[in-house]
Amino acid sequence: MTIVVLLVLSMAAAAMTITAAAAAAAAAASFSIELIHRDSPKSPFFNESATSLDRSRAAIYRSAHEARRIAARVQRKGGIELFDAVSRVVPDSFEYLMELRVGTPPFSILAVADTGSDLIWANCVPCTKCYKQAAPYFDPRKSSSYRTLPCNSNLCKALPHGPCADVSTCEYHYAYQDGSKIDGVLATEDLTFYSSAGSPLVFSNIAFGCNSQSSGVFSSRTAGLAGLSASPVSLVSQIVPSLDKKYFSYCLVPMSDTQASSKVIFGSAGVVVGSKVTTLMTVEDSLFALRLTEIIVDGAGSVPVPTSAPGLKKGNIIIDSGTTVNYLPAGVLSSLVRQVSRVVSLPKATDPDRLLPLCFKVTGESDWQKLPFITFKFAGEASVRLSPTSMFMEEAYQVVCLAVADSGSDTPIFGNVAQQNLHVGYDLDIPAVSFASADCTKF
């Protein structure tokens, strides 16, 4: 579970520092982050001339790259070079941005946020071979809380690396699929969030990558990355255990609504309540995996799903907020296409980008109402019923397509379009994921 972020915090104290010594005080804290989609007018990536169709097609295209990155990650069977870590994030495929406040005093960094990435990093002074960015580099010499980590530290051991002396500095090298790369030093830093009243909540000793080199197709409008995976060095894994409950959730507004913002909530305030369904979750290669048992098309029938999937040991589908459309095995997809085709009387059309297998001609709202609801049923009888706006996307003028693509020999994915207007909660203690229908514009 990428966006520009404003924070609203609820806490008992006006200001708290989250350290080992302050764990008891931290138990009273939970906070939320307002997420702004890259296509929102609040985002520096907003293109005023782009239509809703332009944005939809671009999201589908980015989704194809995102799916390939997940596949590269979960199916990696070794062979990583010393000091190498292969990341699934290709720099310009993100959906959201997050504003991080790093160091003492806090320094603002606009970072790509992604549920499938591990490390929190930024370009740092001196950065002699870094990509050009509009904002200043982070200068660790101006932060009193910056501390480099030794190579034998537990946080350093969470990253793939080669042999090193016990006292040497922890170094990393991340290589991206498009040829982009970063090199730097792993340190610890303070991260500061603020309440609506301006009261600070400071998380101390957070693992933070300080880049000395970065190159490739990174955007000049971003200055770093915030990993939100289950990795020990991710933002989620380092912050959530300090809160009153090991829990986080999000509610994603529909892509068509560029004025409202999505939200991520950390701690007990984010617990999904009311009419909800819950399914067990596993963590595989730091990604969140579920077990999908079948897909049901209203008015047609059920599509069974294989119990295993490439790259996964226990689950058979990854839940990911950074991938737009769903990805399913070829056999499942072909059966789903047949079932949907049985109940939709609209004329068929072709996806001009040939990414999505089933499209229909629509001429108005009445045609949208002819598209079926589709239910994803997860283990534990957890049925998530999805409306047509969560299962179909506009792909050309008067053409909508089923928002599901072929995962081929890669890992299936439950994407973010299907998660629109759902309150999705991750209980890291059980571990489990809960779903509840919601109007995320009012969340």
Side-chain angles (χ1 to χ4, degrees), residues 18-19 100-103 118-121 145-149 155 185-193 201-210 227 232-242:
I18 308 301
T19 63
L100 297 178
R101 297 174 179 91
V102 180
D118 301 336
L119 189 62
I120 308 164
W121 60 257
S145 51
Y146 179 86
R147 301 285 186 276
T148 58
L149 284 169
L155 287 172
V185 172
L186 189 65
T188 59
E189 256 297 9
D190 286 356
L191 293 184
T192 301
F193 301 103
L201 175 62
V202 181
F203 294 84
S204 293
N205 301 318
I206 301 298
F208 169 74
C210 211
V233 295
S234 76
L235 184 65
V236 168
S237 296
Q238 295 186 84
I239 287 180
V240 168
S242 300

Side-chain angles (χ1 to χ4, degrees), residues 271-278 383-384 421-423 434-438:
V271 173
V272 178
V273 296
S275 180
K276 66 179 181 180
V277 296
T278 301
S383 296
V384 182
N421 277 338
L422 288 176
H423 187 193
S434 295
F435 301 91
S437 295

